[in-house]
Amino acid sequence: MKNIILLAVQGAGKGSLARVLSDKYGYANISMGEVMRNARNDGTQRAKTIAEYQDRGELVPFDITLDLIKERISQPDCENGYILDGFPRDLAQAEAYKKILKDLNKDIGVVINLTIPEELIYQRLAGRRTCKNCGKTYNIYSEKFLPKQEGVCDVCHGELYQRSDDTEEAIKKRVETYFHVTTALIDYYKKQGVLYEVPSIDIDETTAEVEKILGEHND
Ligand code: AMP
């Protein structure tokens, strides 16, 4: 079993791939945004700070983020491997994460950079519908990701909605910011020999490619 860091622009299919891998192999599926959302409701000062930053759409302070990730990957469900989505976001977090792994005697595993042509990002995000209840995503422009019943989640029957920040302008801004920040992260992991670029056009092909990489790394 391997730990996996998933790097990809929004709309590249990170969530879908993480779901497939965790269902198939039992990896813990960790979305940093979700870890934050869970931690903002426990009534502590830390929770208040997280809520303030999240509501402004800014990155939550460094120390809090690191404490949360350390707590999360120390849970028993991560012992056999986990998939990280949304962390690390920049080089400072990547450096700090390295130290945490060392303290916990864990391995970095592999870093998968999912790549897709830019025009596909817009199509995917514009067609994306998210379940209000469980967060599962669908796409009304893709046969493989259509819900069985229009507007209703297959898993929990929750209502599907379109995110308010999935407008073309907001998407463009997010995409630009993403590429700006992650280039450094990609170089950083490339130099360490743990980075793999995987095209994310078709979920089945992407999954097969990632499985191949994981197989090569099973020591
Ligand atoms: P996401 O669900 O990935 O869009 O993240 C939602 C929010 O959670 C972000 O706007 C940040 O406030 C916070 N967040 C998620 N990941 C991180 C991270 N690695 N570092 C700091 N804040 C984060």
Side-chain angles (χ1 to χ4, degrees):
M1 286 282 188
K2 275 283 165 192
N3 300 326
I4 305 169
I5 294 174
L6 274 186
L7 296 179
V9 67
Q10 270 176 333
K14 253 186 312 187
S16 309
L17 177 66
R19 228 173 237 269
V20 171
L21 292 175
S22 76
D23 285 353
K24 222 165 157 181
Y25 301 105
Y27 292 112
N29 192 351
I30 306 175
S31 145
M32 198 61 214
E34 207 174 300
V35 170
M36 303 270 184
R37 281 187 285 278
N38 292 336
R40 60 182 272 169
N41 294 316
D42 63 8
T44 58
Q45 181 54 44
R46 178 172 90 172
K48 270 191 212 154
T49 308
I50 296 171
E52 276 168 29
Y53 279 82
Q54 273 202 320
D55 291 346
R56 289 201 299 261
E58 291 172 17
L59 287 187
V60 170
F62 190 73
D63 291 345
I64 295 181
T65 304
L66 293 183
D67 284 349
L68 287 173
I69 197 68
K70 194 167 181 179
E71 282 166 24
R72 184 62 189 91
I73 63 173
S74 303
Q75 307 272 313
D77 68 332
C78 292
E79 261 166 39
N80 290 326
Y82 54 85
I83 305 164
L84 259 185
D85 167 10
F87 181 91
R89 276 274 222 283
D90 54 29
L91 277 185
Q93 289 187 355
E95 284 287 358
Y97 178 55
K98 194 171 170 185
K99 193 170 170 298
I100 290 175
L101 288 172
K102 196 160 174 250
D103 291 349
L104 297 176
N105 203 17
K106 284 181 185 283
D107 188 37
I108 179 88
V110 293
V111 180
I112 307 279
N113 180 33
L114 294 181
T115 58
I116 60 166
E118 200 161 325
E119 59 278 11
L120 210 55
I121 301 175
Y122 294 99
Q123 188 191 324
R124 286 203 183 155
L125 291 180
R128 182 164 73 177
R129 299 293 180 270
T130 307
C131 174
K132 268 188 182 162
N133 192 33
C134 73
K136 184 171 161 63
T137 54
Y138 297 84
N139 198 301
I140 56 167
Y141 300 136
S142 163
E143 239 172 70
K144 276 191 183 163
F145 291 99
L146 271 178
K148 289 197 186 90
Q149 191 187 338
E150 197 185 321
V152 179
C153 178
D154 295 349
V155 181
C156 70
H157 306 290
E159 188 190 334
L160 304 185
Y161 76 106
Q162 181 171 26
R163 280 172 51 158
S164 59
D165 57 349
D166 279 349
T167 62
E168 193 159 329
E169 202 172 320
I171 292 168
K172 198 157 184 251
K173 200 161 164 229
R174 289 210 303 274
V175 170
E176 275 168 11
T177 310
Y178 174 82
F179 284 119
H180 184 70
V181 175
T182 36
T183 306
L185 217 45
I186 287 168
D187 285 347
Y188 175 82
Y189 285 124
K190 219 179 239 172
K191 280 195 192 116
Q192 295 179 29
V194 291
L195 186 99
Y196 294 84
E197 309 257 356
V198 179
S200 182
I201 312 292
D202 176 274
I203 180 76
D204 297 329
E205 284 172 21
T206 308
T207 307
E209 178 74 26
V210 172
E211 285 175 326
K212 203 171 135 220
I213 293 165
L214 294 173
E216 284 163 8
H217 265 83
N218 256 339
D219 22 63

